[in-house]
Amino acid sequence: GILMVVPVILYLFIPFYRKLNVTTAYEYLELRFNSLIRVICSLAFILFQVGRMGIVMYLPAIALNVITGFNIFLCIGLMGVLSLIYTMIGGITGKGSVLYRQENVDSIRAQDALQVVILLGGAILVVIVAVFNIPEGFSGIVREAAVDSKFSLGSFDFNLKQSTLWTVLIATFFTNLTTYGTDQTMVQRYMTTGTEK
């Protein structure tokens, strides 16, 4: 679904936001409707993010707690402190600023690259560790997955009342369109780059 969204975001949403020269998605709502709509939508986004942050902090804290044996509240606190430090020294633009500066482009790219290395490296490491700790290794994983139909793409019937390949693609298209087209965390990334390209 995300692959279908990329051209729409690239050719419609990003040029639209950059032409308006807004710093938030909610500025557009105020321009289009009124300040009450902007405030309501901003508050809804903030409430969503607070709930999301709770989950985002708690789930890795569980894993960290299991691996290290540290108290779960200590794990949450450590991740919170590290996140605050990261934001204060770098964040989206570096040097604690919420505004874009040309000299911070390399800093942004380096931070994004580091995030990709950590996330992708962690995922690859988990797969490698799992393969070596499962009897029969990779072939055992493939065999078990095939037995449980894990390689199936689902039904190809065009039936919108059932969970088919087409309904999943449609749902993920609109879910990703919402996330990458209107979520303030994404819009601010579009607006903090030096050029539209």
Side-chain angles (χ1 to χ4, degrees), residues 32 97 100-102 104 108 113 123 143 149 158 160 162:
R32 176 71 175 86
S97 172
Y100 170 75
R101 290 190 217 140
Q102 185 63 37
N104 292 325
I108 295 168
R143 190 184 72 253
S149 301
F158 194 80
L160 297 179
Q162 299 294 321

Side-chain angles (χ1 to χ4, degrees), residues 56-57 76-89 91:
V56 166
M57 297 295 279
I76 292 169
L78 285 172
M79 287 189 303
V81 168
L82 290 173
S83 297
L84 281 172
I85 291 169
Y86 168 77
T87 301
M88 289 170 59
I89 63 172

Side-chain angles (χ1 to χ4, degrees), residues 57-72:
M57 297 295 279
Y58 182 63
L59 292 178
I62 293 172
L64 196 59
N65 168 263
V66 169
I67 292 169
T68 64
F70 293 162
N71 179 291
I72 197 148

Side-chain angles (χ1 to χ4, degrees), residues 32-181:
R32 176 71 175 86
F33 299 105
N34 58 46
S35 57
L36 179 62
I37 296 297
R38 176 183 180 167
V39 169
I40 289 170
C41 292
S42 298
L43 288 174
F45 175 76
I46 290 167
L47 289 173
F48 173 76
Q49 289 302 319
V50 168
R52 183 181 161 278
M53 274 191 284
I55 294 167
V56 166
M57 297 295 279
Y58 182 63
L59 292 178
I62 293 172
L64 196 59
N65 168 263
V66 169
I67 292 169
T68 64
F70 293 162
N71 179 291
I72 197 148
F73 295 109
L74 176 63
C75 295
I76 292 169
L78 285 172
M79 287 189 303
V81 168
L82 290 173
S83 297
L84 281 172
I85 291 169
Y86 168 77
T87 301
M88 289 170 59
I89 63 172
I92 196 155
T93 59
K95 300 179 185 171
S97 172
V98 295
L99 299 175
Y100 170 75
R101 290 190 217 140
Q102 185 63 37
E103 66 267 16
N104 292 325
V105 170
D106 292 335
S107 174
I108 295 168
R109 289 183 184 145
Q111 290 170 22
D112 283 344
L114 180 62
Q115 287 176 1
V116 168
V117 168
I118 290 170
L119 293 173
L120 193 56
I124 291 169
L125 181 64
V126 166
V127 169
I128 291 169
V129 169
V131 167
F132 283 111
N133 286 310
I134 291 177
E136 299 177 43
F138 187 74
S139 61
I141 293 171
V142 171
R143 190 184 72 253
E144 287 297 320
V147 167
D148 292 332
S149 301
K150 298 298 180 184
F151 296 118
S152 170
L153 293 176
S155 171
F156 285 89
D157 295 338
F158 194 80
N159 180 353
L160 297 179
K161 293 182 179 180
Q162 299 294 321
S163 181
T164 66
L165 175 71
W166 307 113
T167 57
V168 170
L169 283 176
I170 292 167
T172 57
F173 173 81
F174 285 106
T175 300
N176 286 306
L177 186 64
T178 302
T179 301
Y180 291 96

Side-chain angles (χ1 to χ4, degrees), residues 1-10 172-174 176-177 180-181:
I2 196 168
L3 296 177
M4 297 183 304
V5 168
V6 169
V8 177
I9 299 299
L10 288 177
T172 57
F173 173 81
F174 285 106
N176 286 306
L177 186 64
Y180 291 96

